[in-house]
Amino acid sequence: MWRRSTRVLCRHVARRGYSRVCPPPAKSAGPLIRVSNHVARLGPPKEGPKPRQLLSLPPFPGHPLPGKRSHEDGVVSRVTAVSWVKYYFDGIYDSTIQSHFKQGLVQMECRGLIEKEGQMKPMRKIRPSEVMEVGARVYVPVSIVESRVSRRFDCIPSGTLYPNADEIEYMQRRVKYKDSAIIVLNKPPKLPVKGNLPVHNSMDALAAAALSYGNNEGPKLVHRLDRESSGLHLMGRTKESVSLLQWLYTDFNKGKSSCQAWDDACEARYQRYWALVVGSPKEKEGLICAPLSKVLLDNGKTERVILAHQSGLEASQKAITQYRVLGPTINGCSWIELRPLTSRKHQLRVHCAEALGTPIVGDYKYGWFVHRRWKQMPHVDIEPTSGLPYKLRRPAGLDVQKGSVLSKVPLLHLHCRELVLPNIAKFLLILDQKLDNLHPAVSSKPDILRFVASMPSHMKISWNLMSSYLV
């Protein structure tokens, strides 16, 4: 009897259970026999999943988000983590964001912990219902922004002398927002904004034919994007809205008006660009204050923008740009976010190429020599968490020779992704009539409008190539 109880006790002592949260360390297994196509081979065991590349969101501002309303008593409503991620990635499906939260892939920096040199900041998983604090920074996998690439690439159907039916229908599909004062559309790359004699299918010519919508005249240009760049483009529909938008986009010191809501909406205005640059800036975020000046080349035939010299003998213009690095360096490139505080010609391209030393991919005017050296040198990039080298994955059935980062001649990777501006149609009625008691239909409209545009096809391909799991 004593022996039997001793055996039972020994059995219970020898049995050891492990927690599902913290499993025992894996033993170093030897080579395994693998069978494929009826052929046996001796190979190493399978490795676990690789870490994901993280995309950092900007610090949570804390003030009311553009387009979001506060409570009637003036107290700002609390913003949860899932609301902040959905607000930043406006074009992403809610189900995709919810699945990333359920899988525990959304993380946040741990405050109060000391960061060690050469290591990443300590992270913790967050829940969707967690309330955001001012200055908190959220990290999500870059795969959250992956999207399908359409077979029909972003280009105008044809280049005729006068816009045809296909071009008119194509321009109407690019419209994202339209009211009585403005039109916001997603400009495709390689489409000039202002046309001249040799250019027939420009933005202003197509807009006059396709975007009049019953008015006597088509919409007018307010600001310009480069021909090779893409993204949100703003146009005014009436003379009053055009003059108000042009005043809004000037860099002169604007005085305060009698309408406090209009002043607050003007201060909240901004534009954000996403760009893929060659290399990576030394600082992860910062402010570029570098004035620009213009020089003429080839006997005045071409014009080039350069950084102004400190001597101050030549005419220059003030130029300020905020930048922030979105992720790690892969294949010698990195994604950055740009926010221009002034409106100058080729401001972002010159600041990236000359001030940061990292020209935008596809910008051969200001980064030709860097592109030649970048294409010739091998790229071995190290993943920061595991210390293993990156290896780009090539999705099956995806044509990478359509201007992406792996093509021989990539297109310009500069996209105006986000635009926040005052509600011009509402404030035209307020500023012109100067009425205290507005109609309920007018007062219920938001003071600020926010738009987010998806990237063009060649930038989507580059993003998908540099995202998802590392293999």
Side-chain angles (χ1 to χ4, degrees), residues 198-210:
V199 178
H200 304 299
N201 44 13
S202 60
M203 179 71 74
D204 56 349
L206 292 174

Side-chain angles (χ1 to χ4, degrees), residues 214-235:
N215 292 355
N216 297 330
E217 296 182 355
K220 303 298 180 183
L221 300 175
V222 176
H223 70 100
R224 298 187 181 184
L225 295 177
D226 296 338
R227 176 174 181 169
E228 294 80 9
S229 61
S230 60
L232 293 170
H233 191 77
L234 179 63
M235 306 185 77

Side-chain angles (χ1 to χ4, degrees), residues 100-285:
H100 279 72
F101 271 99
K102 291 180 180 179
Q103 298 175 20
L105 301 177
V106 184
Q107 302 177 2
M108 182 185 293
E109 293 181 354
C110 295
R111 294 189 172 185
L113 298 180
I114 301 175
E115 180 184 358
K116 297 181 180 180
E117 296 183 358
Q119 297 183 2
M120 292 188 63
K121 296 180 180 180
M123 302 282 186
R124 65 178 180 88
K125 299 179 182 179
I126 58 176
R127 296 173 298 177
S129 59
E130 185 168 342
V131 179
M132 296 295 299
E133 298 180 357
V134 179
R137 190 183 292 270
V138 178
Y139 289 81
V140 297
V142 294
S143 58
I144 198 173
V145 198
E146 281 191 356
S147 55
R148 298 180 180 180
V149 181
S150 59
R151 289 300 176 182
R152 180 177 182 179
F153 290 87
D154 300 314
C155 59
I156 52 180
S158 62
T160 57
L161 182 60
Y162 299 101
N164 53 31
D166 293 337
E167 293 174 343
I168 293 176
E169 182 182 359
Y170 176 79
M171 285 297 297
Q172 292 177 351
R173 290 200 307 266
R174 308 296 299 186
V175 175
K176 293 186 64 66
Y177 176 80
K178 174 178 67 70
D179 61 11
S180 60
I182 64 172
I183 289 179
V184 179
L185 50 87
N186 189 3
K187 173 190 171 300
K190 303 177 66 175
L191 177 63
V193 174
K194 187 68 175 178
N196 47 28
L197 290 178
V199 178
H200 304 299
N201 44 13
S202 60
M203 179 71 74
D204 56 349
L206 292 174
L211 306 180
S212 59
Y213 295 105
N215 292 355
N216 297 330
E217 296 182 355
K220 303 298 180 183
L221 300 175
V222 176
H223 70 100
R224 298 187 181 184
L225 295 177
D226 296 338
R227 176 174 181 169
E228 294 80 9
S229 61
S230 60
L232 293 170
H233 191 77
L234 179 63
M235 306 185 77
R237 299 193 63 187
T238 61
K239 294 181 179 180
E240 294 79 9
S241 61
V242 170
S243 60
L244 190 60
L245 288 171
Q246 289 177 350
W247 174 87
L248 186 64
Y249 275 87
T250 54
D251 297 327
F252 300 106
N253 293 328
K254 305 179 179 68
K256 299 293 182 179
S257 64
S258 59
C259 182
Q260 184 63 32
W262 167 253
D263 296 337
D264 297 339
C266 292
E267 292 180 359
R269 180 188 66 87
Y270 66 84
Q271 286 178 289
R272 280 179 179 165
Y273 292 75
W274 276 12
L276 182 65
V277 298
V278 180
S280 179
K282 296 181 180 179
E283 301 293 336
K284 295 302 180 182
E285 55 184 344

Side-chain angles (χ1 to χ4, degrees), residues 443-464:
S443 59
S444 61
K445 294 181 180 179
D447 294 343
I448 300 174
L449 301 177
R450 178 177 179 263
F451 310 98
V452 177
S454 60
M455 293 185 291
S457 299
H458 68 279
M459 294 184 66
K460 288 181 181 178
I461 296 175
S462 300
W463 184 278
N464 294 344

Side-chain angles (χ1 to χ4, degrees), residues 3-125:
R3 292 181 179 179
R4 183 177 301 176
S5 61
T6 307
R7 292 176 182 176
V8 174
L9 179 62
C10 293
R11 290 177 182 175
H12 286 289
V13 171
R15 185 180 302 170
R16 183 178 180 184
Y18 294 99
S19 173
R20 294 182 180 180
V21 179
C22 184
K27 298 181 179 179
S28 57
L32 302 177
I33 298 177
R34 303 185 183 280
V35 180
S36 62
N37 296 331
H38 304 286
V39 178
R41 295 185 178 86
L42 190 65
K46 289 186 177 181
E47 298 181 358
K50 303 294 182 180
R52 288 178 177 264
Q53 304 171 29
L54 297 180
L55 173 68
S56 65
L57 273 67
F60 182 68
H63 55 74
L65 301 177
K68 300 292 184 180
R69 289 184 173 272
S70 59
H71 291 298
E72 296 180 357
D73 55 358
V75 179
V76 180
S77 59
R78 296 184 299 176
V79 180
T80 59
V82 65
S83 300
W84 170 238
V85 176
K86 288 180 180 180
Y87 174 82
Y88 188 76
F89 299 109
D90 189 40
I92 308 301
Y93 293 111
D94 294 346
S95 58
T96 304
I97 298 177
Q98 291 286 357
S99 64
H100 279 72
F101 271 99
K102 291 180 180 179
Q103 298 175 20
L105 301 177
V106 184
Q107 302 177 2
M108 182 185 293
E109 293 181 354
C110 295
R111 294 189 172 185
L113 298 180
I114 301 175
E115 180 184 358
K116 297 181 180 180
E117 296 183 358
Q119 297 183 2
M120 292 188 63
K121 296 180 180 180
M123 302 282 186
R124 65 178 180 88
K125 299 179 182 179

Side-chain angles (χ1 to χ4, degrees), residues 226-228 293-298 301-306 345-347 349-350 353-354 359-371 409-412:
D226 296 338
R227 176 174 181 169
E228 294 80 9
S293 60
K294 299 179 182 179
V295 294
L296 298 179
L297 304 175
D298 298 336
K301 295 181 180 179
T302 59
E303 186 181 63
R304 185 182 179 92
V305 181
I306 61 174
K345 182 179 180 180
H346 295 175
Q347 173 180 329
R349 298 167 63 179
V350 177
E354 300 188 13
I360 302 176
V361 172
D363 188 3
Y364 305 103
K365 184 172 185 177
Y366 297 102
W368 171 253
F369 295 102
V370 178
H371 275 76
V409 184
L411 296 178
L412 183 67

